[in-house]
Amino acid sequence: QLQLVESGGGLVQPGGSLRLSCAASGFTLDYYAIGWFRQAPGKEREGVSCISSSDGSTYYADSVKGRFTISRDNAKNSAYLQMNSLKPEDTAVYYCAAIKGGSYYYLCLPTLFGSWGQGTQVTVSS
């Protein structure tokens, strides 16, 4: 059974950091593009960062460029999102998602990804 589980969310002060993890089970991430998405109350789910299945190419939303870093460790069947210099507007539920192949990963659109985790809450507040 294909499953993704996020962890690492929490409450952090503005300017702080968090590292989200996404652990896969029931399949190997090697051949999957991976994306991190977020959804704030009353807003649509948006792509934060995505990484290709092949050469590690990445996409970042303008709002997080220079602050967030996506990575993957196929040996651990996991992906990560390092979030630095967090802002209150980063507050949302964060989801990881995967799609086999994922040639269009760079579009980082939720509709392109078929497998989703349950989400982890990130709250940035003083």
Side-chain angles (χ1 to χ4, degrees):
Q1 182 178 353
L2 191 152
Q3 190 174 15
L4 295 168
V5 179
E6 303 95 335
S7 60
L11 173 64
V12 63
Q13 292 186 342
S17 298
L18 284 174
R19 186 189 192 216
L20 305 184
S21 298
C22 174
S25 61
F27 70 109
T28 57
L29 279 177
D30 297 46
Y31 305 108
Y32 285 74
I34 300 163
W36 284 97
F37 300 84
R38 67 186 180 188
Q39 188 165 17
K43 294 188 176 181
E44 292 188 354
R45 192 169 298 188
E46 63 173 350
V48 175
S49 181
C50 293
I51 187 167
S52 74
S53 60
S54 54
D55 61 1
S57 298
T58 57
Y59 159 89
Y60 293 95
D62 287 343
S63 58
V64 306
K65 278 182 183 176
R67 300 189 298 122
F68 290 11
T69 303
I70 190 171
S71 62
R72 61 190 301 158
D73 186 338
N74 290 342
K76 294 184 178 180
N77 218 30
S78 296
Y80 308 95
L81 186 68
Q82 177 67 43
M83 306 187 296
N84 299 328
S85 302
L86 283 161
K87 304 175 180 180
E89 51 264 43
D90 294 319
T91 295
V93 177
Y94 284 71
Y95 301 88
C96 71
I99 181 68
K100 193 169 185 179
S103 301
Y104 296 98
Y105 78 92
Y106 56 88
L107 297 175
C108 212
L109 294 172
T111 52
L112 296 177
F113 287 76
S115 300
W116 290 82
Q118 83 290 348
T120 185
Q121 176 71 46
V122 171
T123 302
V124 185
S125 174
S126 55

